[in-house]
Amino acid sequence: MQKYDKLDKIGEGTYGMVFKARNKETGEIVALKRVRLDDDDEGVPSSALREICLLRELKHPNVVRLFDVVHSEGKLTLVFEFCEQDLKKFFDSMNLQPIEPSLVRSLMQQLLKGLYYCHSRHVLHRDLKPQNLLLDSSMQLKLADFGLARAFGVPVRCYSAEVVTLWYRPPDVLFGAKLYNCSIDMWSAGCIFAEISNVGRPLFPGSDVDDQLKRIFKQLGTPNEDNWPAVSTLPDYKPFPTMHPSISWSQIVPNLSSLGRDLLQKLLVCNPAGRMDSESALKHPYFSAIEN
């Protein structure tokens, strides 16, 4: 750790403090994520191990770079590339001023590129939210905080349903689904897309699981066996009153173009089998059309 000069405390992550630091040898500014190692613990937290293992393999402009791992004095320090802010802080800095449509498009495209890279390498992020999307000084977006991420393969394994921050958790996982795939991240991406367009106003800010499902069904309609076969067999399924969308998408995301709204609706599909994947989303005309 003698290699680094600590400059400022940036914040507190899931499992430790994060500092801004300078590499004394190169002068490069980096972020140091300090992992707490408790004496009575069984070593390194599983979330830290998972993040280290996955990020050592993931190298892409839209995924945060892990430069080094330093183990000393009962502490584990992860050395990351430094980014000025996360997407949530960017929203706060905008003071509700609309974000340029071209920047909304760029941020969403970068998010999808990062996801496509991860998904094509069989990695699910499982905790996408504005706080876990970093922005550097040139507004390059990077997926970060892979503490809940998992590698997946064939055959599909059962995973935990206790993943994804509530506001960005898809209906299938809210109903207790333990068999899921890349569609889990695509739902979160849709929620974030709407939030970027609305300058930080969350799309479905539920207070608990039931409230979250009600908010989703109010906008998308209550699913049934016709549009989501076998929904009633999910572990935590319970029937909800039949709701039909009463507010149009142009009212929900007034700053998004018709093509943007079309992409959003293809991401926010209750039945995970009907949700658009990252490769298809990147080919959506929203990213190629010249719009005013």
Side-chain angles (χ1 to χ4, degrees), residues 197-215:
S197 172
N198 287 335
V199 205
R201 194 169 74 249
L203 184 61
F204 302 124
S207 55
D208 55 35
V209 169
D210 275 6
D211 184 47
Q212 189 68 21
L213 285 164
K214 279 179 197 161
R215 286 170 182 269

Side-chain angles (χ1 to χ4, degrees), residues 126-174:
R126 303 199 309 174
D127 194 19
L128 290 175
K129 56 184 174 183
Q131 293 91 327
N132 289 344
L133 300 175
L134 304 182
L135 295 170
D136 69 12
S137 54
S138 61
M139 294 305 287
Q140 189 163 41
L141 180 145
K142 295 168 188 290
L143 277 62
D145 206 333
F146 280 71
L148 280 176
R150 286 303 287 262
F152 65 92
V154 179
V156 179
R157 294 166 51 199
C158 281
Y159 301 112
S160 165
E162 298 300 312
V163 291
V164 188
T165 301
L166 184 65
W167 295 354
Y168 308 93
R169 197 181 303 168
D172 44 312
V173 181
L174 289 165

